[in-house]
Amino acid sequence: MKFKTRRFLFLLILVTLVSPLPLLGKVLIAAPAVQALLLDFDEWTQERGVTHG
């Protein structure tokens, strides 16, 4: 994932959490973005041979 995409997803999460949307709306928007960032982080660490823990 490109840096700009990661930055966009991070900003989307922040804006969603501080927006006046109902809780369910926040979860439906932020959860897939968080999941995509976590998957990208896992892929990034595997490429570099970093071990967890």
Side-chain angles (χ1 to χ4, degrees), residues 7-27:
R7 183 172 50 186
F8 173 75
L9 287 174
F10 183 73
L11 290 174
L12 175 69
I13 293 167
L14 287 178
V15 169
T16 301
L17 293 178
V18 299
S19 70
L21 292 172
L23 182 60
L24 181 61
K26 290 180 181 184
V27 170

Side-chain angles (χ1 to χ4, degrees), residues 1-46:
M1 186 180 305
K2 292 183 178 181
F3 176 74
K4 288 183 180 182
T5 306
R6 284 192 298 268
R7 183 172 50 186
F8 173 75
L9 287 174
F10 183 73
L11 290 174
L12 175 69
I13 293 167
L14 287 178
V15 169
T16 301
L17 293 178
V18 299
S19 70
L21 292 172
L23 182 60
L24 181 61
K26 290 180 181 184
V27 170
L28 289 174
I29 295 170
V34 170
Q35 187 177 20
L37 287 175
L38 289 174
L39 288 172
D40 182 57
F41 177 74
D42 188 46
E43 181 182 310
W44 179 80
T45 55
Q46 285 180 357

Side-chain angles (χ1 to χ4, degrees), residues 44-52:
W44 179 80
T45 55
Q46 285 180 357
E47 286 177 0
R48 283 153 181 76
V50 178
T51 58
H52 298 286

